[in-house]
Each structure stands twice: as structure tokens, then as C-alpha cells.
Amino acid sequence: MANLVAIVGRPNVGKSTLFNRLTNSRQAIVSNEAGTTRDRQYGKCEWCGREFSVVDTGGWVVNSDDVFEEEIRKQVIIATEEADLVLFLCDIKNGVTDWDMDVAQILRRAKLPVILVANKADDGKDLYGQYDFYRLGLGDPYCISAATGSGTGDLLDKVLEILPEKVADEAENGIPRFAVVGRPNAGKSSLINAFIGEDRHIVTDIAGTTRDSIYTRYDKFGFDFYLVDTAGIRRKNKVTEDLEFYSVMRSIRAIENSDVCILMIDATRGIEAQDMNIFQLIQKNNKSLVVVVNKWDLVEDKSKEVINTFEYAIRERMAPFKDFPIIFASALTKQRIFKVLETAKEVYLNRKIRIGTTKLNEVMLPLIEAFPPPSVKGKYIKIKYVSQVPDTQIPTFVFYANLPQYVKEPYKRFLENKIRENWTLTGSPINVFIRQK
């Protein structure tokens, strides 16, 4: 289970620069809300053989200073609710501002570790400004330059020192873990209630290894799985949350701790930007997928043409990964709820599929011979052998070729599609690698 580190701070202190430095890439989650464009960034940081998730809370454009401060304050509180560690970023050139004092007060009350980071210490003269930050009452400031990378190594050492070692989950016992995810008001809570609302004596809450992970054991009607806690099971904090940001923070948690993600889409609104954000999180974490179009009882025209149009629109938006089941259901009327569980179980089993090397070569090599990789610079690429790598998180296939560096992404997708055509891997992501023969 990955730890979650949140970067908080006012605009222009270098949050995005630090995020890019920690994750080695810019990964933005974008959504539109009442004319305000917000840039949500989520990524992975690896340091000294350990990995943790990083979320940047920044990116506000609002009109009034009062609203502006209130909005940032809300997001800081949400970050302290959901994260394992907060990096509080300040600008060493500007010194301590009133807003920094305000946020420091919230962070001092929070029951989680905070590292104070003074950014933009680009030369030795700037380091004299660090003493001003002791006023915030958050301990020693770490002076860094996110732009040049100066001091970030010491900062990451401190982060690893504070974060708990990644331990095996209590639920790590071969029982699948399903997470119900989706944007606010898509019907997640209703679906969870439909799953566990009856015969509660069969349901047990198992506290996870980290502060905020709860697994609910579902053991009836021939099913046995853990429902990974997502919005609706745990009591929400009494703060008036920014729902869109809150759902992304919660989704990161639920997705990382699951095997199969049940993505809820509101049938009355169609697929929206926030649905795509959550789908991208599922893809980044290599999780299996079942899409549930909820509130189907509210749709008047349920003809085959409407269903086909809906399915086509969803698959096109989520391309190139199109091989996943779509179920039209209603959590309120419990229509096709059982089908959701059956499909999630099938998708989980597809994730565990093992294909024999002989069978794999018998099927794939004639296909490769009929449609070989295109030649590059007059050189012909020959793929001689294929095998599945054992004991991987998702099905992983290695094709051995004489010139692997010339096999491009479109041909890898061709190979993936041919594997999917010949074996049932619906809902599960797969990896295709080309290696030197």
C-alpha cells in the first residue's frame, strides 16, 4: 500500500516545480468547474528503492482574495485528512506571509507529520532567510531549490525517515479487493449500500494497516472479496469539502489498495472530464476495470441503439484500452447489481490468467509472420519467440526479437490486440515488452 504525500502552499512558491522534480514527469489531472480551470497533479516518486505517491494541491484561479484564501484553506484541510505526510512549501525570498501563518496554524493542529520546506534557495545568500520560518512553529525548515534540485535529496531522505515502511495489508490473503470509484453523486454510496445493506452480520470491518484504509469483507451469495473503502463508507470530515479535489484524493487511496476498480458513471450526465481523471488513475496503477453506468432506471429510451451509442462513446474516450466490460445498472432499484459482482470476479480471474509458452508460440508466431513489424532503415525485424513472465501483478508478455529498439508502440498494440483476441483478458491491463533475442 503506497503512502500519500501532499504538497501544500500558496501560489507561486514552486509546488508544481517540486512536484515535477519528485516525479520526474509532469502528470496533470484537469477538470472544469464553474469556469475555473484547476490543474490536479498526481504521480509516483521513487527514492532509495522505496515508492510513494505525491499529490499537488495547487492551481486556483478565483476573483476575490477572501474566496481565494478560503478555497486554499479548505484544500489544506482535505490534504491533512487524506495524506500520510504534508510538505508545506514556502518562498524563502518572500519570507513568512500572513497566509503562511494561517496554514501553519491548521497544520500544527493536524495529527500527521509536516515537513516545512523553504523553496527558491538558489544561492548561499538566500539561506540567511531560513531563520524567519522558525516563527511558524513547524520545526527546522529544509532549504531547497526545486528548480535546480539543490537540497531535494536531503528532503527525500527525511520523507522516507518519517513515512512508515510499506507493510503487507491485512487483506493480503488471496481474496480479491474491489474498489467502487467515481466522481461525486455518481452513486458510489448507493452501490455500496446495495452490496452490504442487508444481512449485515455477514459483513465485518477490517482496519487496514494505514490510518485511513478500511476493508469490508463481503461473504455471501457465493462471493468472497474485500470492498476497499471509498467515499461513503468512512465518515467524512465536517469541513465543507471541495468535492472534486476530495474525490481525486479518495480515488488515489481506493485505487492503489484494490485489484479491480468498479468505475461509476452517471447515465443522466454521460462521461465527463472527472470520469476520465479517475480512469487515468486506474490506468497508471495497472488496475483491472469494470465500468458501471448507474441510474439506468432514470433513462427513458433504453433501446439497443442508445446502449450501443453509450458504449461506443465510453470506449472511444478511454481508447486505446477498450477491452473492458460495461454494465448498465441501477443501484437504487438494485437492477443488475449481481451482474456487477459477477463481472468484477471474472475480471479479477482474467488478471490471474497463465498461458502456456507452447500454446502462446503456436498462436502468435504465425500471426507475426503474416504481419511482421515494418522494417526500419532497411533492417528487417524478426520476432522468434514469446513467453509470459510468471508471478507478475498483471499479465506480462515478452517477445524476443533481433532489433527490439525498432519495434514501435503501434506494433506493440497490434500484438496486445492479437493476444486479447485469442485469450480472455477482458478488463485486465496487460504489458507487452520486446527484448533482445
Side-chain angles (χ1 to χ4, degrees):
M1 185 184 303
N3 293 300
L4 186 60
V5 174
I7 303 172
V8 303
R10 56 190 174 78
N12 304 321
V13 293
K15 294 189 302 299
S16 293
T17 312
L18 178 61
F19 175 87
N20 294 342
R21 173 72 55 186
L22 296 182
T23 59
N24 288 325
S25 66
R26 184 177 180 86
Q27 297 174 349
I29 299 174
V30 180
S31 73
N32 298 318
E33 185 177 291
T36 300
T37 303
R38 302 184 176 192
D39 197 20
R40 305 291 174 213
Q41 299 187 97
Y42 158 77
K44 300 272 189 184
C45 175
E46 191 173 338
W47 184 252
C48 295
R50 285 177 61 189
E51 190 178 67
F52 57 88
S53 302
V54 184
V55 64
D56 176 8
T57 59
W60 299 272
V61 183
V62 283
N63 304 322
S64 135
D65 283 345
D66 294 335
V67 174
F68 171 76
E69 288 177 9
E70 180 58 33
E71 198 65 26
I72 295 175
R73 191 177 294 114
K74 276 196 286 183
Q75 303 226 9
V76 170
I77 293 170
I78 294 166
T80 60
E81 281 294 303
E82 293 301 311
D84 295 305
L85 170 69
V86 169
L87 298 180
F88 178 30
L89 211 60
C90 300
D91 185 339
I92 200 167
K93 294 186 190 298
N94 287 350
V96 176
T97 66
D98 291 344
W99 188 84
D100 291 331
M101 294 293 285
D102 196 14
V103 171
Q105 194 174 359
I106 297 170
L107 293 175
R108 282 198 302 270
R109 289 196 214 107
K111 294 175 182 175
L112 86 166
V114 177
I115 298 177
L116 178 60
V117 184
N119 190 27
K120 304 188 183 178
D122 301 320
D123 58 50
K125 293 175 186 173
D126 295 323
L127 295 175
Y128 293 114
Q130 66 179 296
Y131 302 106
D132 189 31
F133 291 94
Y134 283 97
R135 289 199 287 142
L136 297 174
L138 291 170
D140 298 328
Y142 276 75
C143 300
I144 68 160
S145 170
T148 66
S150 168
T152 51
D154 292 338
L155 174 63
L156 284 168
D157 287 341
K158 184 65 177 175
V159 168
L160 293 191
E161 185 187 313
I162 292 174
L163 287 177
E165 280 281 1
K166 194 174 174 182
V167 272
D169 301 330
E170 284 183 40
E172 197 89 50
N173 53 8
I175 298 175
R177 293 168 296 179
F178 301 161
V180 181
V181 294
R183 56 180 176 70
N185 305 320
K188 297 185 297 296
S189 300
S190 303
L191 186 68
I192 290 164
N193 290 340
F195 285 162
I196 67 173
E198 300 164 1
D199 302 326
R200 276 190 173 270
H201 60 280
I202 303 176
V203 175
T204 57
D205 282 340
I206 298 177
T209 49
T210 61
R211 174 180 60 79
D212 66 344
S213 291
I214 297 173
Y215 296 93
T216 304
R217 180 78 173 266
Y218 184 97
D219 185 9
K220 55 183 176 181
F221 306 128
F223 293 103
D224 188 7
F225 62 86
Y226 287 109
L227 198 61
V228 179
D229 170 5
T230 181
I233 293 182
R234 274 202 320 276
R235 178 184 62 83
K236 284 186 182 177
N237 193 285
K238 290 174 183 172
V239 64
T240 310
E241 310 94 339
D242 170 346
L243 280 176
E244 182 256 336
F245 176 55
Y246 192 83
S247 70
V248 169
M249 294 282 281
R250 278 281 168 92
S251 296
I252 292 170
R253 279 288 191 211
I255 289 165
E256 284 182 343
N257 300 337
S258 69
D259 294 307
V260 178
C261 294
I262 299 169
L263 174 58
M264 305 286 288
I265 293 176
D266 188 334
T268 61
R269 296 177 65 171
I271 187 164
E272 297 186 330
Q274 180 69 346
D275 298 316
M276 290 305 300
N277 295 342
I278 294 169
F279 171 70
Q280 284 157 14
L281 291 178
I282 294 168
Q283 272 205 314
K284 280 175 195 169
N285 284 281
N286 281 330
K287 302 302 180 183
S288 299
L289 174 67
V290 176
V291 172
V292 177
V293 181
N294 190 33
K295 306 185 184 178
W296 194 240
D297 54 313
L298 301 180
V299 176
E300 290 180 14
D301 186 358
K302 298 182 177 67
S303 64
K304 188 69 177 172
E305 290 78 13
V306 171
I307 291 173
N308 289 341
T309 305
F310 222 118
E311 281 197 11
Y312 178 79
I314 292 170
R315 292 192 200 282
E316 284 303 303
R317 287 289 297 276
M318 295 182 179
F321 180 44
K322 296 183 179 182
D323 188 18
F324 53 83
I326 300 174
I327 300 166
F328 294 84
S330 168
L332 195 65
T333 64
K334 296 186 171 58
Q335 179 188 15
R336 297 192 191 92
I337 292 301
F338 200 72
K339 179 75 173 168
V340 173
L341 294 182
E342 282 182 331
T343 307
K345 186 178 178 182
E346 285 168 15
V347 165
Y348 174 74
L349 293 175
N350 292 346
R351 187 184 180 84
K352 302 291 179 187
I353 196 170
R354 183 85 182 94
I355 304 167
T357 304
T358 308
K359 188 68 182 167
L360 204 52
N361 282 277
E362 277 176 11
V363 173
M364 294 303 295
L365 291 184
L367 288 170
I368 292 166
E369 204 171 320
F371 300 97
S375 60
V376 179
K377 300 175 185 174
K379 294 177 181 177
Y380 292 95
I381 303 155
K382 292 177 182 175
I383 295 174
K384 294 288 188 186
Y385 181 72
V386 55
S387 67
Q388 184 179 355
V389 182
D391 304 322
T392 49
Q393 186 191 23
I394 60 173
T396 301
F397 301 91
V398 179
F399 291 81
Y400 294 94
N402 58 338
L403 297 164
Q405 67 273 26
Y406 292 139
V407 179
K408 303 298 183 201
E409 203 59 42
Y411 195 76
K412 287 184 187 176
R413 279 206 291 272
F414 164 77
L415 294 174
E416 179 182 333
N417 291 337
K418 290 302 173 188
I419 291 170
R420 290 185 183 280
E421 281 174 23
N422 287 280
W423 290 278
T424 306
L425 288 158
T426 304
S428 174
I430 68 174
N431 283 330
V432 172
F433 295 113
I434 314 293
R435 293 282 182 262
Q436 186 71 42
K437 178 162 66 73

